Amino acid sequence: MIHLQGIPDLHDRRASIDFYQERYAHGYMDEWPAEKKQRIFQIIRSIEVPDYGESIDFGCGNGVFTDVVRQALPPKWRVYGVDISSTAVRNAARRYPECTFFVSGARELTGRRFDFLFTHHVLEHVFNLGQVLTEIDEILKENATVVHVLPCGNEGSFEHQICRLRSDGIDLRRENRFFFEDEGHVRRLTSNQLIELYEKKEFVLAKEYYSNQYYGAIDWITQSGPGFVLSFVDIEPAVYQEARERLRKIRRKLLLLWALRYPASMVDGRLRRRTRSLRDYCLLALGLPLYLFAKPTDLYLKRKARNEWEGRKTDRNGSEMYLCFKR
């Protein structure tokens, strides 16, 4: 079954499983920057939880953040991960034996209730959000804590400003999805929308943090390939002449930053990979001679993004949100 622009209809469970099985078989979300893992570690550490309990990473993928949750929670906690992709679950179990992983619907999960639930970039992938939130609620204990990390549709972020300059910037058919998003994304919630959904389930917002107000976005965009940078600030969909000029200026800036840092970010990214292809080794050979020249710009942008997080993480005009709910 095919949906928008050749994307499988993720309303269909079988099509959705096949879609993510294929992606996880080819390195999808295989690794994340150390800064992102440390950020989530610190957030979980800041939450008051009992000395022991059971936690689940709902939509755990390859288990990267399941292990971050394990490290952040007290030592006596038991940490589980669950995903619809058996490929992802096998990858996770192999890489993180200290955690326990299951495929969704596993018999071992029947009747189990959890004290802490975590999701990382899950809610934007599911079509029936209300049904999924009900499923989540059904596996939680009465006094559970929930942490959701996901894209944020609040106004004011750098990405939101770019969207406002483009006629195709925000897709109303797909619940305000931004034009550049991953093909599996079906929505972009605002923080208030998610808060309202949880208030109906008698949860209260305990903590809220936001990233990528400006420098965080510049950081991830200029670590992407030049094709993405060019498409991100394509001037053709500009809504008016002034928007075209603004996009042109932003494009020049982003391309310059990309060129100055890309050899360093490319080399670092490939060195982090657990497995490398022949293409990876060829790119490493090409990028290493330029590494020392590119690394200062790379470090500068990372530092600006880190400082932005430390100084502005409570500002709601970020493009990624970290919301903690308690009941």
Side-chain angles (χ1 to χ4, degrees):
M1 186 180 297
I2 302 298
H3 195 47
L4 293 175
Q5 300 176 350
I7 300 171
D9 182 1
L10 303 184
H11 285 93
D12 181 78
R13 180 174 174 79
R14 183 68 257 171
S16 182
I17 291 173
D18 290 344
F19 178 71
Y20 288 106
Q21 289 280 64
E22 174 67 18
R23 302 189 94 186
Y24 281 116
H26 293 89
Y28 178 59
M29 293 191 175
D30 193 49
E31 192 50 271
W32 291 84
E35 296 89 350
K36 180 68 174 290
K37 292 189 282 188
Q38 181 64 22
R39 185 180 300 170
I40 289 174
F41 176 89
Q42 291 174 345
I43 289 172
I44 295 174
R45 270 290 172 93
S46 73
I47 299 169
E48 291 186 11
V49 296
D51 290 337
Y52 56 89
E54 292 191 321
S55 167
I56 188 163
D57 181 359
F58 188 89
C60 64
N62 286 323
V64 175
F65 290 106
T66 318
D67 195 56
V68 173
V69 172
R70 179 190 66 80
Q71 295 176 53
L73 289 172
K76 293 183 180 180
W77 277 68
R78 300 179 67 181
V79 179
Y80 301 87
V82 61
D83 201 276
I84 63 171
S85 167
S86 59
T87 300
V89 167
R90 284 195 300 271
N91 292 343
R94 183 178 66 254
R95 293 170 63 178
Y96 305 106
E98 298 90 348
C99 305
T100 304
F101 296 92
F102 297 104
V103 177
S104 297
R107 186 167 43 197
E108 295 88 341
L109 292 175
T110 303
R112 191 183 291 271
R113 299 291 182 269
F114 297 92
D115 305 278
F116 184 93
L117 182 140
F118 174 83
T119 74
H120 179 268
H121 284 243
V122 171
L123 300 186
E124 71 271 24
H125 288 266
V126 299
F127 267 98
N128 194 332
L129 180 60
Q131 177 181 322
V132 169
L133 292 181
T134 297
E135 290 176 9
I136 286 174
D137 197 34
E138 289 173 350
I139 62 172
L140 294 175
K141 292 183 180 178
E142 184 62 30
N143 297 319
T145 299
V146 176
V147 174
H148 290 299
V149 182
L150 66 159
C152 181
N154 292 357
E155 295 184 356
S157 70
F158 179 71
E159 292 104 309
H160 187 269
Q161 292 177 43
I162 296 295
C163 288
R164 294 290 299 272
L165 297 174
R166 298 174 54 122
S167 59
D168 63 348
I170 299 176
D171 189 345
L172 299 180
R173 298 175 304 163
R174 299 178 75 181
E175 299 184 53
N176 299 319
R177 178 184 182 273
F178 288 3
F179 73 96
F180 57 83
E181 297 199 51
D182 178 274
E183 60 184 351
H185 290 196
V186 298
R187 71 175 54 78
R188 183 173 282 250
L189 294 169
T190 66
S191 55
N192 283 339
Q193 285 175 319
L194 188 56
I195 291 167
E196 288 171 8
L197 288 169
Y198 264 89
E199 285 176 346
K200 294 176 182 177
K201 298 183 180 299
E202 300 183 348
F203 279 85
V204 296
L205 181 69
K207 293 178 182 288
E208 58 178 320
Y209 301 110
Y210 302 86
S211 65
N212 298 353
Q213 284 84 356
Y214 179 76
Y215 284 108
I218 300 296
D219 181 40
W220 76 259
I221 293 166
T222 57
Q223 289 188 73
S224 307
F228 175 81
V229 177
L230 285 169
S231 65
F232 184 81
V233 284
D234 184 4
I235 63 174
E236 290 305 314
V239 292
Y240 46 81
Q241 184 59 34
E242 183 181 348
R244 181 183 297 266
E245 293 305 315
R246 287 185 62 189
L247 285 171
R248 185 176 284 113
K249 290 178 181 178
I250 294 169
R251 180 172 64 175
R252 286 197 293 264
K253 178 179 180 178
L254 291 181
L255 285 173
L256 175 61
L257 290 172
W258 172 84
L260 289 173
R261 81 176 303 195
Y262 188 69
S265 60
M266 182 272 291
V267 168
D268 288 341
R270 278 162 174 77
L271 288 176
R272 283 196 302 266
R273 293 183 178 180
R274 293 175 177 267
T275 59
R276 302 184 192 100
S277 65
L278 177 60
R279 182 173 182 271
D280 290 327
Y281 285 109
C282 291
L283 288 171
L284 282 170
L286 292 171
L288 282 171
L290 300 172
Y291 186 86
L292 291 177
F293 298 98
K295 194 60 180 175
T297 302
D298 183 62
L299 290 173
Y300 170 78
L301 289 172
K302 287 183 182 298
R303 184 172 66 253
K304 296 293 285 187
R306 185 167 57 250
N307 291 343
E308 180 177 76
W309 167 256
E310 293 299 332
R312 299 185 59 191
K313 59 187 173 187
T314 58
D315 292 356
R316 282 191 160 197
N317 61 326
S319 67
E320 185 177 51
M321 56 186 171
Y322 303 69
L323 302 187
C324 172
F325 299 94
K326 283 182 175 286
R327 184 166 53 189

